[in-house]
Amino acid sequence: MKILDVRAASFECAFQEVLARGKMDIKNVSNIVQEILDSVQENGLAAIKAHIAQFDKWEAREFSDICITQEQCLKAYNALPLGLKSALHVAYDRIYAFHQKQKEKSWIDCEANGSLLGSKLTPMERAGLYIPGGKAAYPSSLLMNAIPAIVAGVKEIVVCSPTPNNEPHSLLLAALHLCGIKEIYKVGGASAIGLMAYGCKEVPKVDVITGPGNIFVACAKKLVFGEVNIDMIAGPSEIAIIADKDANARYVAYDLLSQAEHDEMASSILISDNLPLIESVQAHIQDILPTLSRAHIAEKSIQNRAVMIHTRSLKESIDIANALAPEHLEILCNEAFAVLPLIKHAGAIFLGQYSSEPIGDYLAGPNHTLPTGGSARFFSPLSVEHFMKRSSIIAFSAPALAEMGEACALLAQSESLQAHAQAVLTRLDSISTRDFSKERE
């Protein structure tokens, strides 16, 4: 891993490259992704089948070939070992309980003049969930995306996930059964985003697309935004760790590697004011890396995307973390809760040595679909709110219009919108002779 020292003259230039990690990635693939999306929009299922043959290395001849049935999911669920089935239910229950607390209700407020104002919350009718599956299977991502949609009350939930060599992962199938998903397609990458965003003869388009993915998926979601809503631009996984001299170097090493093994483009960043800790973590990573089953992926990530930043103080470490706005931020310091109020930008914050990032990935409860590439400055984690929309409610009474109508007309006239003004003044003429004080009695 590269070590950057804030004291070095070259630090600012090197740090700017780290900050630009998300922008550079999207730009590099946007032309390729746009071609894929255009193909899906123009050719529908024919394009999907061609992309499956090209990217997933199997041939889909009929529409039914790309579908996963509920019977397949039930069979996989029933075949799960008892311990794994229990773990899946623990995760489901904890994630459901957390997201249930997010659900808001519609409301109406009655003013003294008789007018009613409020907000009506309605679930999306049709939601599309993208579940990664190229380099590994992610049933955890299915739970994290499906459960908030279920809590929100979405009637139709569509799942797309790549299936290399046409071999669905049994645990993903089991999770699909647990979530009660009925519409499932073996389609991945930008093709899946196009299918859900534009629809085709066999598959109606969705209203919102959520879910993490590689840089091609993130770029595709960005390009279809407006055709449908999206949760965020979620690219390759990343972690930043603020650690002091008392942090356990082996814990830190494993947590950094937990992101590196996701993807060659994942980013693992350690921020510390203690050089001996940095050097110890470096040594542990070198020892651990060869033992990992996905060492070939993790090694490329560590070599090309990982960095250790040596700061002058804890305050400087915090400032750098806020500038990074990372997807996952671990605070491995003695006074972790004292640091928490100073954190401005992060997708998920893990406090203390026992709050390892993988706990958040699987069963802590909060959603693991998080903003990446610095977008935590303005995006939030996936939530129930992403699967709902608001409609404002306005019901003015005659007394309310009599009270405020002239002010409204005056504002409209100031913008030279005569019909706006007259729409209000015409109503005022019809109610000007009414005695509202008697009506209130």
Side-chain angles (χ1 to χ4, degrees):
M1 293 178 68
K2 301 172 188 174
I3 298 180
L4 304 181
D5 193 321
V6 296
R7 302 159 187 80
S10 60
F11 173 77
E12 191 58 37
C13 181
F15 187 57
Q16 287 303 316
E17 289 185 13
V18 179
L19 292 179
R21 62 200 184 279
K23 294 178 183 178
M24 294 192 318
D25 296 339
I26 291 282
K27 190 174 182 180
N28 290 339
V29 302
S30 59
N31 289 339
I32 298 171
V33 171
Q34 188 63 65
E35 288 180 8
I36 293 172
L37 292 175
D38 290 345
S39 175
V40 172
Q41 187 174 22
E42 293 168 10
N43 302 309
L45 184 59
I48 294 296
K49 291 190 290 187
H51 296 158
I52 288 174
Q54 180 180 357
F55 300 118
D56 286 344
K57 310 304 180 187
W58 63 277
E59 186 177 354
R61 297 182 179 179
E62 306 293 336
F63 173 64
S64 59
D65 292 340
I66 72 168
C67 301
I68 292 177
T69 67
Q70 290 179 271
E71 290 74 21
Q72 287 176 277
C73 296
L74 175 60
K75 182 179 178 181
Y77 176 81
N78 288 335
L80 275 186
L82 186 59
L84 195 52
K85 185 180 292 185
S86 175
L88 202 61
H89 277 269
V90 168
Y92 184 100
D93 291 344
R94 290 185 61 85
I95 297 165
Y96 190 97
F98 180 87
H99 288 83
Q100 185 69 35
K101 295 173 184 176
Q102 295 179 335
K103 190 171 183 180
E104 298 182 48
K105 296 180 179 179
S106 301
W107 58 272
I108 293 179
D109 181 48
C110 182
E111 297 184 336
N113 58 23
S115 64
L116 301 176
L117 304 175
S119 184
K120 182 179 184 295
L121 276 76
T122 308
M124 300 285 190
E125 290 187 17
R126 188 169 167 83
L129 316 181
Y130 183 82
I131 310 303
K135 293 185 172 67
Y138 295 101
S140 57
S141 290
L142 186 278
L143 297 182
M144 292 289 183
N145 282 263
I147 291 172
I150 292 167
V151 171
V154 177
K155 289 279 193 288
E156 298 178 14
I157 300 176
V158 182
V159 169
C160 282
S161 185
T163 310
N165 302 311
N166 198 17
E167 297 174 357
H169 194 278
S170 59
L171 188 53
L172 176 58
L173 296 181
L176 286 161
H177 170 75
L178 183 58
C179 293
I181 308 298
K182 300 177 181 178
E183 193 174 347
I184 312 153
Y185 302 112
K186 294 181 283 188
V187 184
S191 306
I193 303 304
L195 176 63
M196 292 188 284
Y198 303 124
C200 65
K201 179 182 177 182
E202 298 82 0
V203 182
K205 65 175 291 185
V206 301
D207 301 308
V208 60
I209 297 174
T210 73
N214 62 20
I215 197 62
F216 293 92
V217 171
C219 182
K221 287 169 67 178
K222 182 176 182 179
L223 292 173
V224 301
F225 176 61
E227 183 72 33
V228 294
N229 197 9
I230 63 170
D231 51 352
M232 66 193 79
I233 311 297
S237 189
E238 59 187 33
I239 187 171
I241 300 176
I242 298 175
D244 63 15
K245 62 182 179 61
D246 296 318
N248 185 306
R250 192 167 181 81
Y251 292 175
V252 174
Y254 268 114
D255 289 353
L256 292 170
L257 288 168
S258 73
Q259 300 309 294
E261 69 179 356
H262 267 297
D263 191 296
E264 293 92 342
M265 295 180 71
S267 299
S268 301
I269 303 168
L270 172 61
I271 312 165
S272 179
D273 59 0
N274 188 264
L275 186 57
L277 174 75
I278 290 174
E279 293 171 342
S280 181
V281 171
Q282 183 90 287
H284 279 296
I285 287 176
Q286 290 174 352
D287 290 341
I288 296 167
L289 189 53
T291 70
L292 301 178
S293 60
R294 292 162 64 86
H296 60 293
I297 293 173
E299 184 175 12
K300 288 182 180 178
S301 170
I302 291 295
Q303 287 177 348
N304 299 324
R305 309 278 291 193
V307 65
M308 296 182 173
I309 301 176
H310 183 205
T311 64
R312 285 170 286 223
S313 65
L314 176 60
K315 181 184 181 303
E316 194 168 44
S317 295
I318 295 168
D319 290 342
I320 285 175
N322 280 327
L324 287 167
E327 177 188 16
H328 307 101
L329 176 63
E330 286 188 5
I331 303 175
L332 301 182
C333 303
N334 268 331
E335 301 297 330
F337 277 91
V339 173
L340 180 59
L342 305 176
I343 301 301
K344 298 177 182 178
H345 313 296
I349 304 168
F350 299 79
L351 301 167
Q353 64 175 332
Y354 300 115
S355 304
S356 176
E357 187 279 331
I359 289 290
D361 275 350
Y362 293 105
L363 50 65
N367 210 285
H368 82 193
T369 304
L370 303 165
T372 64
S375 62
R377 295 185 67 87
F378 44 83
F379 278 128
S380 300
L382 184 66
S383 69
V384 172
E385 185 178 2
H386 285 99
F387 296 97
M388 304 192 79
K389 52 190 174 63
R390 297 173 184 270
S391 300
S392 299
I393 299 171
I394 302 168
F396 252 46
S397 63
L401 189 62
E403 180 183 332
M404 288 175 273
E406 289 187 4
C408 179
L410 186 60
L411 290 170
Q413 289 166 345
S414 73
E415 295 184 352
S416 300
L417 297 175
Q418 186 177 0
H420 279 65
Q422 286 303 129
V424 174
L425 294 174
T426 299
R427 287 171 169 80
L428 283 179
D429 290 341
S430 67
I431 62 176
S432 60
T433 59
R434 293 171 60 177
D435 187 345
F436 297 115
S437 61
K438 290 184 178 180
E439 288 186 18
R440 291 191 187 98
E441 294 174 0

